[in-house]
Amino acid sequence: MKRLQFAALIGMGLILVGAGIARQPEAQAEGSATIKGSIHFSGTAPTREPVKMNADPVCQQQHSSPVLSEEAAVVGPEGELKNVFVHVKSGASPAASAPTQPVTLDQNGCWYTPHVFGIQANQPLEIVNSDATLHNVNAKPTTNQPFNIAQPVKGMKTTKKFTKPEIMVKFKCNVHPWMSAYAGVVNHPYFAVSDEQGAFSITGLPAGTYELEAWHEKFGTQTQTLTVAEGETKQTEWSFRAQ
Amino acid sequence: MFVGATMFASDRSALRLHRYAMLTASATFLLLIAGGLVTSTDSGLAVPDWPLSYGMLFPPMVGGIFYEHGHRMIAGVVGILIGVLAVWTRKTEKRIWVRRLAAFAFAAVLAQALLGGLTVLLLLPPQISIAHACLGQTVFCLVVGLAWCTHPGWSATLATARPIGGSFFLRFLAMAVAILAATQLFLGAVIRHTGIAVVPHMIVALCLLMTSVICLWQVLKRRASLPSVPSHAWRVVLLLGVQLTLGVMVFLNRSSVGLRTAHVAVGALILSQAVLLAWEVWRRAGSPSCETDECVSRAY
Ligand SMILES: [Cu+2]
């Protein structure tokens, strides 16, 4: 009897591992080329205003010092521009299937983390409330299906999907009007968001010629076309200015 | 003696109904301001569900929930106030058209609640949000009209009505003021919910101002035969002065919640005054004098 249970356990384990292996390739990129980039802002960077959170005491209590707005633009000392969504606009073939691994959009300290992110069409988006207060999550796509969900309780999770590519989908909390986030929905894995150093890296590209588009919520979009060979790493430079 | 006492009592009861209608009209005005605040602060979707709020009757009133749920709670109170007004009117009012008007106001406020819920559940489609804004103004006008015609001395004014010269032109003018004021509220709602139609709103504003000033002038010319009508015309013109100033300030400072909401509120006052002006001009100018009880109970 014990042996039978043991065998069943092993069997179930094998099935799970098998399913995992079978699922893995869909998220994998096809090539070995890399496009790196460094994004700068030229001109006087807009000042980041401290966000007033007194409309909700729960939000205010979570921050010992005022949080600076991310909406205006996050610019480093040398003009490094954060929160730029870069994706292959044309030249890449759509992925056969979307990853099953969800992208997480967290509401923590009455703040969306991340502020800008990429996700593939049909990839699950897990929206989490880590705050002991109420949030509504108001997604305002124009091509995809818009939604507005209630997350009144800490720890709540809701999974959503966008079925079509769309640059960009805005998220807004109407309870806390300072909260906003943007998702770039694409149908392939070739996208990235610039970090605090204004750097991004798109890996696993097959050899080819690609049109890259960089999007910033205040400074608009820019494109560059470049060709990469298999195994090659290309560095790109981007410069945004106030519109 | 006995008859006199009865009339006195019925006058007192009419006065109570009138005062209650005034209270309801004031509460409805507050509701319009609360509704304007929801749009001005972009809090319409702060509560995603309806009729409950986050599945609760009383969610924590934080951030945008304060505006959206506050609007719902005031709306609930106003709905009850108008319901009581309809029942009260039905029981004590002799004029059938006043009873019907009150019943219609109650039906309108119920429809308004449904539109409000629908616009939240459908994520604020502009058509429904605009309809919600316009029906809100209509409910306010209906309640103001009820407060107006339940005034105990209201019917008596008809007994003094005399045909006056140029009444057709005057009626046309007063009606034009009311229609233009309603058009302005519609265009204002379109701007608030879609951002378009600013230029038509400005053009109609100038038309409305001109028509109102001409109407005031015509009413003043005939003030001997139209007592108390000039005060309505004056109120419309003065409120329009305030409203134009507010409109320019909103245009220059579009993010100001206070200015935008004040612009909606003054717009509601203008429409209600314009409707009363048109109504008064309509019933007084050119109508034959009405002296029998039966005539008075039918006339509006
Ligand atoms: Cu929130």
Side-chain angles (χ1 to χ4, degrees):
Chain A
M1 195 64 199
K2 274 263 161 70
R3 285 174 70 115
L4 202 67
Q5 279 182 355
F6 184 70
L9 213 66
I10 296 283
M12 272 163 66
L14 279 174
I15 289 168
L16 282 173
V17 169
I21 289 167
R23 215 170 265 168
Q24 232 172 7
E26 45 185 52
Q28 219 134 70
E30 292 154 17
S32 59
T34 300
I35 298 173
K36 288 179 181 262
S38 142
I39 307 179
H40 284 82
F41 177 78
S42 58
T44 319
T47 32
R48 292 175 62 194
E49 302 291 338
V51 175
K52 284 197 203 90
M53 293 193 180
N54 53 356
D56 189 339
V58 174
C59 304
Q60 204 160 26
Q61 281 156 19
Q62 289 183 77
H63 302 279
S64 47
S65 56
V67 184
L68 297 181
S69 155
E70 272 200 321
E71 263 194 14
V74 183
V75 181
E78 302 295 323
E80 303 91 334
L81 189 58
K82 193 190 170 188
N83 288 333
V84 178
F85 178 73
V86 187
H87 72 286
V88 172
K89 193 181 178 187
S90 59
S93 45
S97 59
T100 46
Q101 181 71 27
V103 172
T104 302
L105 176 61
D106 190 17
Q107 299 155 100
N108 197 339
C110 301
W111 207 255
Y112 282 119
T113 313
H115 179 62
V116 175
F117 62 96
I119 185 169
Q120 290 193 49
N122 289 313
Q123 183 177 8
L125 170 66
E126 191 175 69
I127 305 166
V128 183
N129 181 6
S130 303
D131 288 327
T133 188
L134 311 84
H135 294 290
N136 75 291
V137 186
N138 178 10
K140 303 156 81 113
T142 49
T143 310
N144 284 286
Q145 188 71 35
F147 59 83
N148 183 34
I149 53 169
Q151 288 201 327
V153 180
K154 184 174 180 168
M156 263 185 99
K157 285 180 184 165
T158 310
T159 303
K160 288 277 178 184
K161 273 180 189 172
F162 295 110
T163 54
K164 295 172 216 137
E166 183 169 350
I167 310 292
M168 302 287 285
V169 175
K170 184 172 185 178
F171 291 79
K172 195 174 157 36
C173 175
N174 302 89
V175 180
H176 312 105
W178 60 83
M179 288 175 68
S180 69
Y182 293 88
V185 188
V186 285
N187 58 8
H188 53 66
Y190 311 118
F191 58 84
V193 177
S194 68
D195 59 17
E196 239 125 37
Q197 282 73 47
F200 72 87
S201 165
I202 298 173
T203 56
L205 280 159
T209 301
Y210 299 105
E211 188 190 11
L212 247 66
E213 185 181 72
W215 170 97
H216 186 270
E217 72 175 288
K218 280 284 179 302
F219 308 135
T221 58
Q222 289 187 12
T223 53
Q224 284 186 25
T225 304
L226 66 158
T227 305
V228 283
E230 207 62 57
E232 188 188 8
T233 297
K234 264 211 171 139
Q235 179 70 27
T236 57
E237 296 293 328
W238 303 75
S239 177
F240 280 87
R241 53 182 66 246
Q243 285 187 322
Chain B
M1 179 69 190
F2 184 67
V3 171
T6 316
M7 279 184 68
F8 184 62
S10 93
D11 258 12
R12 280 244 307 262
S13 123
L15 189 62
R16 274 204 299 272
L17 176 62
H18 168 66
R19 284 186 177 149
Y20 177 76
M22 297 272 279
L23 172 82
T24 308
S26 314
T28 311
F29 184 59
L30 281 183
L31 176 58
L32 278 179
I33 294 175
L37 277 171
V38 170
T39 316
S40 302
T41 58
D42 192 21
S43 303
L45 294 178
V47 181
D49 50 340
W50 184 88
L52 288 175
S53 299
Y54 287 93
M56 301 173 241
L57 278 174
F58 298 103
M61 298 289 268
V62 293
I65 301 173
F66 172 78
Y67 297 106
E68 172 61 20
H69 190 69
H71 178 49
R72 292 182 186 188
M73 290 205 298
I74 298 173
V77 171
V78 168
I80 293 167
L81 284 174
I82 297 179
V84 170
L85 181 64
V87 171
W88 190 340
T89 310
R90 190 177 184 81
K91 288 210 163 142
T92 63
E93 176 60 54
K94 285 191 201 75
R95 295 166 294 177
I96 185 159
W97 64 269
V98 178
R99 296 202 296 265
R100 282 182 184 157
L101 197 64
F104 186 66
F106 185 52
V109 81
L110 291 182
Q112 176 68 346
L114 288 178
L115 268 184
L118 207 59
T119 203
V120 163
L121 296 178
L122 298 179
L123 311 182
L124 312 182
Q127 308 89 313
I128 298 185
S129 296
I130 292 166
H132 185 63
C134 293
L135 187 56
Q137 298 285 351
T138 310
V139 169
F140 178 56
C141 282
L142 286 169
V143 179
V144 167
L146 281 166
W148 183 244
C149 67
T150 50
H151 186 277
W154 193 82
S155 294
T157 53
L158 272 191
T160 62
R162 295 285 179 275
I164 54 166
S167 69
F168 177 79
F169 178 53
L170 191 60
R171 282 175 157 193
F172 169 78
L173 266 179
M175 198 51 97
V177 169
I179 290 171
L180 286 171
T183 309
Q184 275 304 73
L185 283 165
F186 169 71
L187 290 174
V190 170
I191 294 172
R192 285 170 74 77
H193 294 285
T194 66
I196 59 165
V198 177
V199 173
H201 193 54
M202 289 172 170
I203 293 169
V204 179
L206 294 179
C207 296
L208 174 58
L209 181 67
M210 272 180 345
T211 319
S212 307
V213 169
I214 297 171
C215 188
L216 171 65
W217 169 49
Q218 291 295 320
V219 163
L220 285 176
K221 257 174 63 177
R222 298 173 179 79
R223 62 178 168 276
S225 358
L226 295 172
S228 88
V229 175
S231 62
H232 289 292
W234 269 120
R235 276 197 285 270
V236 170
V237 171
L238 293 178
L239 283 168
L240 272 176
V242 175
Q243 184 70 337
L244 281 176
T245 315
L246 278 173
V248 171
M249 286 161 81
V250 169
F251 186 71
L252 298 176
N253 185 7
R254 285 172 207 212
S255 59
S256 165
V257 169
L259 285 175
R260 290 175 63 192
T261 311
H263 195 57
V264 174
V266 176
L269 291 179
I270 292 174
L271 178 65
S272 63
Q273 282 304 317
V275 165
L276 292 187
L277 171 67
W279 192 358
E280 283 299 290
V281 167
W282 204 260
R283 64 195 276 263
R284 294 210 195 184
S287 62
S289 67
C290 195
E291 273 146 11
T292 65
D293 275 359
E294 211 231 329
C295 166
V296 165
S297 83
R298 277 191 191 171
Y300 48 81

